Amino acid sequence: MAQIVQDIYRGWEITIRCSGAIARAGQPASYTAIASAELLPGVNPEDWVDSRMQVMNTSGRPFASGKACVAALLAEARQLIDALRR
């Protein structure tokens, strides 16, 4: 079952979907996530280099927990939003 986390950051809504893989014998489960960031209504798109929906993922990096996976991708989404600001 996927864990869904939503966050508002500088006029963007970030949605992260984190899912865990089934653990194999002798190995812990790993987690991956995909995030989307969408500009909220009423925010001026001219304030941003690219105001289109942004999508990012963990690119196959394994994480020991869903919490660590979400925290890493949330930090990366915020960095991307900061970089898009004019």
Side-chain angles (χ1 to χ4, degrees), residues 2 11-15 18-19 21 25 30-31 35 42 49-54 58 61-62 68 70 72 74 77 82:
W12 292 75
E13 180 179 44
I14 302 169
T15 303
C18 177
S19 59
S30 62
Y31 295 81
V49 172
D50 188 348
S51 61
R52 295 176 295 172
M53 178 186 283
Q54 305 295 314
T58 54
R61 293 173 288 163
V70 167
L74 182 58
D82 290 342

Side-chain angles (χ1 to χ4, degrees), residues 10-43:
R10 297 192 176 188
W12 292 75
E13 180 179 44
I14 302 169
T15 303
I16 300 174
R17 289 174 181 80
C18 177
S19 59
I22 297 173
R24 295 184 185 152
Q27 295 179 344
S30 62
Y31 295 81
T32 60
I34 187 166
S36 62
E38 188 170 7
L39 198 61
L40 292 169
V43 177

